Amino acid sequence: MAEAPQHEGRLTRVSAFVFLHTEHAIYAVLGLLLAVTAVLALVDATGLTWHAMHALGGAPQLLEVVDRLLFLLMLVEILHTVRVSMRSGKLTCEPFLIVGLIASIRRVLVITLQSSEIMHAKEWSAEKEALFRASMIELGVLAVLILTMVVSIFLLHRARDDDRPAGEEEPGPETRM
C-alpha cells in the first residue's frame, strides 16, 4: 500500500512536467505568430501612413491609419500578456481589459466616421436615418462598455498589494538586490 501514493506522486510529477512544457511550447508558437502578425501590421501601418501623408491626410485615410495603429497596439498588448504568462505562470485579466478597451475605442472611431459621412450626405432617406439611429445606440453601448472597463482596470490596480500595474512582471532573482 505504501507504493501506491509514491507511484501517484511520480505520475503526477511526470504529467505536470509534460503539461507545463506543452503549455510553454504552445505559448512560444503563439507568441511567434503574434510577433510576425505585429510586424506585418507595422509594415502595413507604415505604408498607410506614407500614403496618407502624400494624400495630405484626408479623414478616411487618417482614420484607417489610426485604426491600424490601434490594432497593432492590441497585438503588442496580447504579446506582452503571453510573455508574462509564460514567465510567471499566471494569467492576469488587466491586459485583456486593455485590449478590449482599445478594440472598443477603435469601433467608436469607425462609427463616428461612418456617422459623419451619413450626416453630410445630400440625401436623407429612411434607411440612412435607421442606420444613424443604430450607430448612436451602438455608440451608447460602447460608451458604457468603455467606462466599465476603465473602472475595472482602476479597481484591479487599486486592489493590488503593491503599486505595480497588473500584468507587470515581478522582479526575478537576477534583478533583485
Side-chain angles (χ1 to χ4, degrees), residues 61-75:
Q61 290 90 3
L62 291 177
L63 179 70
E64 192 171 356
V65 168
V66 170
D67 183 55
R68 297 294 166 88
L69 291 174
L70 288 173
F71 175 70
L72 180 60
L73 186 60
M74 287 171 42
L75 287 174

Side-chain angles (χ1 to χ4, degrees), residues 96-142:
F96 294 105
L97 288 170
I98 291 170
V99 169
L101 185 61
I102 295 168
S104 299
I105 291 170
R106 282 181 68 211
R107 185 67 186 146
V108 166
L109 291 172
V110 170
I111 291 171
T112 303
L113 180 66
Q114 290 172 346
S115 299
S116 174
E117 289 174 359
I118 291 172
M119 290 297 295
H120 289 92
K122 302 239 187 237
E123 308 167 0
W124 189 257
S125 65
E127 181 181 322
K128 286 186 179 180
E129 183 179 345
L131 183 61
F132 182 75
R133 267 204 190 108
S135 296
M136 293 302 107
I137 290 170
E138 189 175 355
L139 277 175
V141 170
L142 284 168

Side-chain angles (χ1 to χ4, degrees), residues 87 169-177:
R87 293 189 86 195
E169 294 182 64
E170 292 185 25
E174 65 276 355
T175 58
R176 287 186 201 147
M177 292 203 173

Side-chain angles (χ1 to χ4, degrees), residues 1 3 5-6 14-15 19 25 28 42 44 51 54 64 69 77 83 87 103 106 114-115 118 127 140 152 160 174:
M1 286 263 199
E3 290 192 28
Q6 182 182 10
V14 168
S15 62
F19 290 145
L42 181 62
D44 185 45
H51 290 302
H54 281 38
E64 192 171 356
L69 291 174
E77 190 65 34
R83 184 176 58 85
R87 293 189 86 195
R106 282 181 68 211
Q114 290 172 346
S115 299
I118 291 172
E127 181 181 322
S152 298
R160 292 178 56 91
E174 65 276 355

